[in-house]
Amino acid sequence: MTTPDSRTHTIDDVEGARSRLTFFKVMAFIVGVGLLVLVVEMVLSYGFGLKGEDNPLYWWPQPHGFIYMVYLVATALLGFKIGWSLTKMVLVMLAGCVPFLSFWVERRVARQVESELAAARQ
C-alpha cells in the first residue's frame, strides 16, 4: 500500500532542498534545547514558586515562542520543497512541542530526506 509520504518523491532542486534541510536541522536542534530550557523555567515557576524576576529564566517563554515560530517556517519550507503531505508537516511541527521528541524527529527526517536527495542526484 502506498501512502502519499511513502511514495518516491522527485526532487528537482537538490541544492535548494539541501539548504532547507540544513535550516530545518538547525532550527530543530535550537527548538529542542529551547524547549528543555522552557521546562526548567516552568519547574522553577510552578514547582518552586519563583515568580517574576525571582525566576532567573522568567524572560525565556517569549523568545522561545518566537524561535518555535521560526521552526514552523523551517518545517514548512522543507515540507513544501520535497512534497510532504500537510499531515506530515503538522506532525513534524508538533514534535517541537514535546521535550526530546524534536531531537528524535530531526534525526529521522534528516535520514529520510538525505536518502531522497541521494536518490535524486542519480
Side-chain angles (χ1 to χ4, degrees), residues 15-85:
E15 289 310 312
R18 185 164 304 287
S19 68
R20 290 179 187 199
L21 175 61
T22 301
F23 180 44
F24 168 79
K25 289 167 64 173
V26 168
M27 289 312 304
F29 179 79
I30 292 170
V31 163
V33 171
L35 186 57
L36 295 177
V37 173
L38 184 64
V39 168
V40 171
E41 188 277 332
M42 292 175 69
V43 167
L44 291 173
S45 180
Y46 298 107
F48 293 99
L50 298 176
K51 301 295 181 188
E53 291 189 17
D54 292 337
N55 184 340
L57 295 172
Y58 77 96
W59 55 272
W60 181 244
Q62 188 172 7
H64 171 71
F66 175 75
I67 292 167
Y68 181 72
M69 298 302 257
V70 177
Y71 169 75
L72 297 180
V73 170
T75 304
L77 288 173
L78 178 63
F80 286 125
K81 188 69 168 180
I82 64 172
W84 284 348
S85 69

Side-chain angles (χ1 to χ4, degrees), residues 86-122:
L86 186 58
T87 303
K88 181 168 183 167
M89 276 191 267
V90 168
L91 289 174
V92 172
M93 289 173 178
L94 288 175
C97 296
V98 181
F100 298 106
L101 186 60
S102 65
F103 298 114
W104 181 76
V105 168
E106 180 271 327
R107 287 307 320 142
R108 187 168 180 205
V109 165
R111 265 186 265 132
Q112 174 197 3
V113 173
E114 286 167 356
S115 70
E116 290 178 18
L117 291 174
R121 283 185 182 232
Q122 296 177 359

